[in-house]
Amino acid sequence: MTKLVYFAWVRERIGVAEEEIALPEDVNDVSALLAFLKARGEGYEIALQQPEVIRVALDRVHAEHDAPLAGTREIALFPPMTGG
């Protein structure tokens, strides 16, 4: 099982703060994860309609969308950060 944690408007659109799911074997990198989640229902589809803007952390370390998921226990999804 993999723990997924959602922040800010990603959490609001999906409707849950976190969940644990078993990822299919073909979901082996961040891009595949975002595509898999987007297909899980309307809230996910709305939250992930522009997957390229979604930021991701794997076990609390920022990761690119081509990063492999093997061995990852926690995945956090959040919108772009702004500030100064």
Side-chain angles (χ1 to χ4, degrees):
M1 297 293 281
T2 303
K3 182 178 182 179
L4 299 174
V5 184
Y6 308 110
F7 292 94
W9 56 255
V10 176
R11 177 187 63 233
E12 292 168 7
R13 293 172 184 173
I14 290 174
V16 296
E18 61 184 58
E19 61 184 329
E20 288 200 24
I21 63 171
L23 296 176
E25 286 185 27
D26 63 337
V27 176
N28 53 18
D29 66 14
V30 172
S31 290
L33 170 70
L34 296 176
F36 166 74
L37 292 174
K38 189 174 178 180
R40 290 188 76 204
E42 184 179 4
Y44 293 93
E45 186 175 351
I46 292 169
L48 303 173
Q49 63 185 321
Q50 293 182 296
E52 67 278 2
V53 303
I54 300 297
R55 302 290 311 260
V56 178
L58 304 178
D59 292 330
R60 301 185 181 200
V61 176
H62 289 275
E64 298 297 326
H65 285 202
D66 61 352
L69 299 178
T72 302
R73 295 188 345 224
E74 180 183 88
I75 302 168
L77 303 179
F78 45 97
M81 294 180 284
T82 60

